[in-house]
Amino acid sequence: MPPSHPSDDDRVTEEAADWCLRLQAEEVSDADRAAFERWCRDDPRHAAEFDAMRELWGLSAGLRPRVTAPPAPARPVEAVRSPLVRPLVRAPKQRRWALAACVAAVLAVGWPVGWSFGVLPGTVDVFLGGDRHRVVGLPDGSTVDLNVRTTLFYAQFRDRRSVLMDHGEAYFAVAGDAARPFTVFTAAHRVRVTGTRFNVWANDGELAVTLAEGAVTVSAAAAAVGEEPLRLTPGQQGRFARDSRFGSVARVDPARVLSWREGKLVFDDITLAEAVPLLNPYLAQPLRLADRRVGAMRIGGVYDVADLDRVVASLPRVLPVTIAAKDGALLLSAR
């Protein structure tokens, strides 16, 4: 019988798995990045398979997690839904199930080796977002205030500490450990510290980092080699617009930015375009802006987060706007 050879689909899957392994390193070389980009361009299947494999890799990395859920959540179904289980629902190809099982088996055997080389984390903690503010403790002694609907992944490696927070808001009080830098990864940026206190707000590729104490650097994930990151000092806020590698720094009052920890939102004469992303996590129905004209209108004041639905309903009485329900959202239009 002639020897069997892997199918072309299996080859693509194996290559995608290999790239997931190679890109696990904290610092990936320029040559690796260039080779990966070439591989993605060579065949449309490559990028799609890598995305699916990356989700499975997230599942594999959860082999030994400690999943921390909020006590007595107001909405249990949402509170206990961990993103670690989504890849199995979204992976369409049956062969990925077998591959996931193989990866899991290899990791279970090779975990101590991976830990010793700094490739795999010793622990993975998942703090699930809910509909209320809460404070959680990380295994390294750091504490995190999680704002509503914010989910945080924490991985503790031998030589570093990593947090993934794609969307939401959190205030970090990081335990100092110069030998293990602490990095917060969002969808398109990273914030690096050793020990400090700072606030991170992330929304669909936008980022705002406010420093209360210590020092942090903020950079885009796609920053070029040698490109200087933003360096913040206490009382400064670094902001990145969506799809921008270059940020801006402004002086702010950290107490105002952090007022959400006290159940308040402080708007200091900001535009509706700036206010809506801050309001939406608290609302029963999200707000949408009809156009730039309404987005340019300004709003100010101090608001109780428990009363924001009523505040939104009253907007037509204080601004020249109308509100209409549309596609599960509230559309805000200029009057």
Side-chain angles (χ1 to χ4, degrees):
M1 177 180 293
S4 61
H5 299 282
S7 70
D8 192 48
D9 280 347
D10 288 338
R11 176 189 59 79
V12 172
T13 298
E14 290 169 4
E15 290 176 359
D18 180 62
W19 277 116
C20 281
L21 283 166
R22 293 170 64 179
L23 297 179
Q24 286 294 309
E26 173 78 0
E27 299 294 343
V28 182
S29 71
D30 292 340
D32 281 338
R33 290 185 186 279
F36 172 68
E37 290 172 2
R38 287 195 301 271
W39 179 78
C40 286
R41 290 194 300 267
D42 285 345
D43 188 322
R45 296 176 302 165
H46 290 177
E49 189 71 9
F50 176 79
D51 286 341
M53 192 60 57
R54 183 171 53 182
E55 291 183 322
L56 283 175
W57 189 256
L59 175 67
S60 300
L63 281 173
R64 291 170 52 180
R66 296 198 306 273
V67 179
T68 307
R75 289 189 291 180
V77 174
E78 290 191 9
V80 300
R81 183 186 299 134
S82 170
L84 291 175
V85 303
R86 277 191 290 117
L88 289 182
V89 177
R90 298 179 61 185
K93 298 182 181 178
Q94 191 69 25
R95 58 195 172 82
R96 292 200 184 109
W97 290 78
L99 182 62
C102 292
V103 171
V106 170
L107 287 181
V109 174
W111 200 283
V113 177
W115 159 261
S116 66
F117 281 95
V119 176
L120 297 175
T123 59
V124 176
D125 292 78
V126 183
F127 300 95
L128 303 177
D131 53 10
R132 61 183 179 84
H133 161 228
R134 68 192 190 96
V135 181
V136 299
L138 303 184
D140 68 335
S142 302
T143 60
V144 184
D145 286 55
L146 291 178
N147 206 345
V148 296
R149 296 180 176 86
T150 300
T151 298
L152 181 147
F153 295 77
Y154 174 80
Q156 187 160 296
F157 294 81
R158 180 177 57 82
D159 57 353
R160 64 193 185 277
R161 298 166 287 170
S162 297
V163 165
L164 174 63
M165 192 191 82
D166 272 355
H167 187 94
E169 186 168 25
Y171 173 75
F172 296 84
V174 177
D177 187 346
R180 289 190 300 170
F182 190 103
T183 303
V184 179
F185 295 91
T186 65
H189 304 90
R190 56 177 175 260
V191 184
R192 293 190 176 185
V193 303
T194 52
T196 192
R197 297 173 184 270
F198 61 99
N199 193 78
V200 175
W201 175 85
N203 179 63
D204 294 334
E206 295 182 82
L207 179 74
V209 179
T210 305
L211 183 62
E213 178 184 309
V216 301
T217 63
V218 190
S219 58
V225 176
E227 193 171 290
E228 284 294 315
L230 289 185
R231 300 181 186 277
L232 304 182
T233 58
Q236 288 185 331
Q237 182 181 80
R239 296 191 69 95
F240 282 80
R242 188 179 294 110
D243 300 325
S244 174
R245 295 209 324 262
F246 304 101
S248 60
V249 178
R251 179 67 57 179
V252 298
D253 179 359
R256 285 177 174 263
V257 176
L258 297 173
S259 61
W260 63 267
R261 298 172 66 208
E262 308 299 327
K264 305 290 183 182
L265 283 186
V266 180
F267 293 158
D268 189 10
D269 191 33
I270 63 175
T271 66
L272 285 177
E274 295 171 310
V276 165
L278 302 176
L279 289 166
N280 276 343
Y282 303 96
L283 301 179
Q285 287 183 288
L287 276 175
R288 298 286 182 266
L289 299 176
D291 50 39
R292 292 184 179 179
R293 179 185 170 196
V294 68
M297 295 181 187
R298 308 190 80 84
I299 186 172
V302 179
Y303 304 97
D304 189 322
V305 298
D307 200 32
L308 290 180
D309 282 307
R310 185 190 63 79
V311 170
V312 168
S314 69
L315 283 178
R317 295 199 295 271
V318 296
L319 291 172
V321 298
T322 62
I323 299 178
K326 183 177 181 181
D327 298 329
L330 298 176
L331 184 66
L332 203 60
S333 305
R335 193 164 56 220

